[in-house]
Amino acid sequence: MKKYIIIAILGLSTVFSSCNDELFLTPFQSIDQSIALSNDANVKSVLIGAYAETRDVDLYGGRLQLYGEMLGANGEVRWEGTFNQPREIFNKSIFVNNSFIEGTWAAAYRAINISNNVLDALEVVNEEDRDRVRGEALFLRGSMYFELIKLYALPYVAGNPASNLGVPLVLTPTREINEESFVSRNTVEEIYTQILSDLTQAESLLPASNSFLANSYVTAGQLSRVYLQMERFGDARDAANRAITLATGLQKTLIFNYMDAFNTEGNSAEDLYAIQVNTQDPANDMFLFYSLPEFGARGGDVAILANHLTQYETGDSRLDQFFTAAGELRTAKWRDQFRNVKVMRLAEMYLTRAEANFRESTAIGDTPLNDINLIRARVNLPAKTTLTLAEILQERKVELAHEGHIIHDVKRTRGSINDNTGTDVFAFDSPRMVFPIPQREMDANPNLVQNPGYGN
């Protein structure tokens, strides 16, 4: 009897035979509720499991950042590695069975499912910790839906988000695969509404300080990202301002020397949120693909091209990150092994506040000019006396370069990307700038609809 192994929509493994026999495998997050979620300690352990999923290389451990750079390469970086999965993304010619894209979808939904299980078991959590645990689970769920919607659906600013297909929205625990598991895709608007609900609640519940886990200023920073994608600039401004106010009140600050903010063993004074990497938990795909064998990585899969260097002003100390090795220009942001993966830095919040204030003609927290000049002073550039939106966006581009932001900024500002031959241009709403729904998910769930350009 031939059996087909499929991964269902929530990333839970199950085996269906041709005669409808079912054998359920039991991943950690779906073990019997009476065992896993029976007391305070177990629920908190399961919550750490959700963090573990998000720190995996499929998500914040490097691939989310890599996707942003490959989709937004624009003749400024080049994929040179032997892995076909990033090459497909770089070429904007992605196969529906791309294992990286499949892995990211599955890992995100595993994290969502674990978070749903935690939220469903809050009554056994010690009362003094309940708000924090709930806030962390909501932060993780909202963040995962945000990462999914940015990659597997059209941007919020493209067409009608109320009718454009997003991703499936699942808000209750899944502990077995049955007919109810075969959910359909919700709209982009519905997903963003849930993201805002999760993150807004999380911000109100989380403490300002929470080790290297989610806290209130990280959640405010994540909200600022969501609002930017939605062009809700006043809300983005306010969220970024809250993040800055809380973080700087806890001694977070821009590091004096730009490159000292990178290749750090622990969180730096500038890190708002980072994935902790060490010899016991060494996974870091940005290091793996960006660095070189002499530093313990592969062969330098990502080259920086001359077009990128023209983006910087003369005297910009951010140019110090670039070095030549293995015959190509490289960035040192991801050079060293066993170093943190940067997810959110304080500098991003100043840039967001500056842009949103400028667009709204306001000066909440500070003026756009002062925020931009703060960023420029750190890299030894002269202060500006006047400012345009294009200058703010350019400052954002070079400050956050090679950290995974570029494609999401291109999409939200309705920009375009040249392909790697220089002959084709992909608009922000091109189907080739959107990931396919993984074929394994399409095979497992008959209710899913594939994205345009990837067949049925």
Side-chain angles (χ1 to χ4, degrees):
M1 178 168 52
K2 186 176 181 180
K3 293 184 177 181
Y4 299 88
I5 300 178
I6 61 176
I7 302 297
I9 185 64
L10 301 173
L12 302 177
S13 299
T14 181
V15 180
F16 292 84
S17 73
S18 59
C19 60
N20 294 322
D21 292 336
E22 296 182 3
L23 172 65
F24 288 97
L25 304 181
T26 311
F28 176 76
Q29 75 273 14
S30 60
I31 63 176
D32 189 276
Q33 183 185 19
S34 65
I35 299 172
L37 302 170
S38 60
N39 58 54
D40 173 81
N42 284 350
V43 173
K44 289 173 180 174
S45 294
V46 171
L47 177 61
I48 294 301
Y51 278 105
E53 288 291 350
T54 67
R55 69 93 49 224
D56 189 80
V57 294
D58 287 311
L59 296 166
Y60 289 133
R63 289 188 186 166
L64 290 177
Q65 295 89 333
L66 181 68
Y67 298 154
E69 296 303 316
M70 293 300 97
L71 277 178
N74 206 34
E76 296 181 30
V77 301
R78 179 174 62 231
W79 176 260
E80 297 187 332
T82 57
F83 279 67
N84 285 330
Q85 299 95 326
R87 184 176 299 281
E88 291 175 13
I89 299 169
F90 172 67
N91 288 334
K92 319 298 184 291
S93 183
I94 305 169
F95 290 101
V96 294
N97 63 349
N98 185 299
S99 63
F100 278 28
I101 290 171
E102 178 184 289
T104 293
W105 175 285
Y109 273 107
R110 284 195 298 270
I112 288 166
N113 193 43
I114 300 172
S115 299
N116 285 338
N117 274 275
V118 170
L119 292 167
D120 194 54
L122 289 172
E123 70 277 1
V124 303
V125 176
N126 292 341
E127 188 172 355
E128 62 268 25
D129 297 328
R130 197 171 297 163
D131 282 353
R132 175 184 59 79
V133 170
R134 182 175 180 233
E136 289 183 52
L138 287 169
F139 168 82
L140 292 170
R141 186 173 73 179
S143 294
M144 289 301 94
Y145 274 120
F146 184 46
E147 302 304 338
L148 286 167
I149 201 68
K150 287 188 295 181
L151 293 171
Y152 296 89
L154 285 169
Y156 189 88
V157 298
N160 185 358
S163 58
N164 289 342
L165 288 180
V167 296
L169 182 62
V170 182
L171 303 176
T172 57
T174 299
R175 301 188 179 105
E176 65 175 2
I177 302 300
N178 51 42
E179 290 301 315
E180 293 181 358
S181 304
F182 299 142
V183 294
S184 300
R185 295 173 67 179
N186 290 75
T187 67
V188 170
E189 186 72 60
E190 288 170 334
I191 299 299
Y192 269 91
T193 297
Q194 187 61 48
I195 292 166
L196 291 178
S197 175
D198 282 357
L199 294 179
T200 300
Q201 290 181 74
E203 185 184 1
S204 71
L205 294 166
L206 287 170
S209 181
N210 192 24
S211 182
F212 53 80
L213 304 176
N215 58 42
S216 56
Y217 64 72
V218 170
T219 309
Q222 192 77 301
L223 275 167
S224 76
R225 291 175 168 182
V226 178
Y227 286 129
L228 275 186
Q229 295 298 317
M230 302 175 75
E231 294 188 318
R232 289 175 55 171
F233 298 116
D235 291 323
R237 172 203 62 203
D238 294 346
N241 187 57
R242 293 195 303 273
I244 292 167
T245 301
L246 284 169
T248 55
L250 292 169
Q251 285 71 58
K252 289 294 181 179
T253 186
L254 297 184
I255 293 178
F256 181 74
N257 293 309
Y258 180 72
M259 285 307 293
D260 287 346
F262 303 94
N263 298 298
T264 59
E265 292 183 357
N267 282 1
S268 75
E270 189 166 331
D271 290 333
L272 300 190
Y273 196 59
I275 298 303
Q276 310 302 302
V277 178
N278 51 54
T279 55
Q280 285 73 46
D281 203 354
N284 177 347
D285 259 18
M286 289 299 275
F287 162 78
L288 179 69
F289 294 129
Y290 272 76
S291 192
L292 298 152
E294 54 262 45
F295 300 105
R298 286 171 45 81
D301 296 321
V302 180
I304 312 302
L305 304 182
N307 284 346
H308 181 64
L309 297 190
T310 65
Q311 303 297 311
Y312 298 80
E313 298 174 45
T314 301
D316 191 332
S317 62
R318 287 173 293 212
L319 286 164
D320 295 343
Q321 72 182 279
F322 301 111
F323 66 102
T324 300
E328 298 287 354
L329 200 63
R330 315 290 178 181
T331 174
K333 281 189 174 182
W334 309 104
R335 184 192 62 196
D336 296 342
Q337 195 170 17
F338 310 129
R339 299 297 187 265
N340 280 7
V341 184
K342 311 299 178 181
V343 178
M344 185 185 298
R345 293 191 292 116
L346 181 61
E348 178 192 344
M349 296 299 103
Y350 285 116
L351 289 161
T352 296
R353 188 171 73 178
E355 177 187 343
N357 263 321
F358 187 91
R359 290 180 182 273
E360 294 290 293
S361 300
T362 56
I364 301 298
D366 210 336
T367 66
L369 192 62
N370 284 345
D371 279 342
I372 292 300
N373 282 336
L374 182 66
I375 298 295
R376 291 174 61 82
R378 194 256 291 267
V379 294
N380 300 314
L381 289 176
K384 288 183 173 291
T385 57
T386 60
L387 199 59
T388 66
L389 178 60
E391 289 173 326
I392 294 173
L393 293 175
Q394 184 64 18
E395 201 68 50
R396 183 182 181 93
K397 178 180 180 180
V398 294
E399 172 68 27
L400 304 178
H402 318 299
E403 298 177 52
H405 295 268
I406 183 62
I407 193 57
H408 307 302
D409 285 336
V410 168
K411 286 184 176 183
R412 70 178 177 84
T413 58
R414 297 175 174 81
S416 61
I417 294 292
N418 294 319
D419 78 345
N420 59 353
T421 67
T423 57
D424 293 326
V425 177
F426 301 112
F428 73 101
D429 57 352
S430 167
R432 291 176 68 176
M433 300 284 277
V434 177
F435 284 179
I437 306 301
Q439 188 59 47
R440 182 174 287 184
E441 306 301 324
M442 296 293 298
D443 292 341
N445 182 356
N447 294 330
L448 287 180
V449 175
Q450 183 57 274
N451 281 325
Y454 293 104
N456 298 319

